[in-house]
Amino acid sequence: MKANKKTALIMVYVFKTSVKHKKQIKDISKNLNEINEIKKWNFDLEDCDNILRIVAETNITKTVCEIFDTLNYSCIELE
């Protein structure tokens, strides 16, 4: 008997953000943690673009950008 498994495609999404301080990350973290498709995320505030990296099963770009917009932060996906 052959097993029928769906393989989830895991992608890394990289965003340039306006986040500059750890307190701002705390404000955003609750919202990011509520997105089930996100497996892992982290900020690199030492990078000049204040990078947010997200590992997710689906394309979450629109959702993430909407969250940032609602919280008055900018967020642009880098390619």
Side-chain angles (χ1 to χ4, degrees):
M1 184 172 197
K2 193 175 188 180
N4 185 9
K5 291 184 179 180
K6 285 189 176 182
T7 306
L9 182 61
I10 302 294
M11 296 290 297
V12 177
Y13 298 90
V14 181
F15 300 88
K16 175 181 178 176
T17 74
S18 63
V19 174
K20 295 180 181 171
H21 307 286
K22 290 184 180 184
K23 184 189 178 308
Q24 294 172 318
I25 294 173
K26 188 176 177 183
D27 294 340
I28 296 166
S29 66
K30 180 181 180 226
N31 294 285
L32 293 177
N33 290 335
E34 289 177 353
I35 302 172
N36 292 331
E37 293 83 9
I38 294 178
K39 299 303 171 196
K40 185 169 42 169
W41 61 266
N42 70 319
F43 278 91
D44 182 357
L45 298 183
E46 293 182 17
D47 184 280
C48 64
D49 290 328
N50 302 313
I51 295 294
L52 167 62
R53 286 183 189 83
I54 296 178
V55 176
E57 294 178 346
T58 61
N59 188 335
I60 42 72
T61 301
K62 183 178 177 186
T63 303
V64 170
C65 289
E66 287 172 353
I67 288 169
F68 273 69
D69 189 47
T70 300
L71 297 172
N72 295 314
Y73 296 108
S74 67
C75 174
I76 302 166
E77 183 179 18
L78 300 176
E79 295 184 21

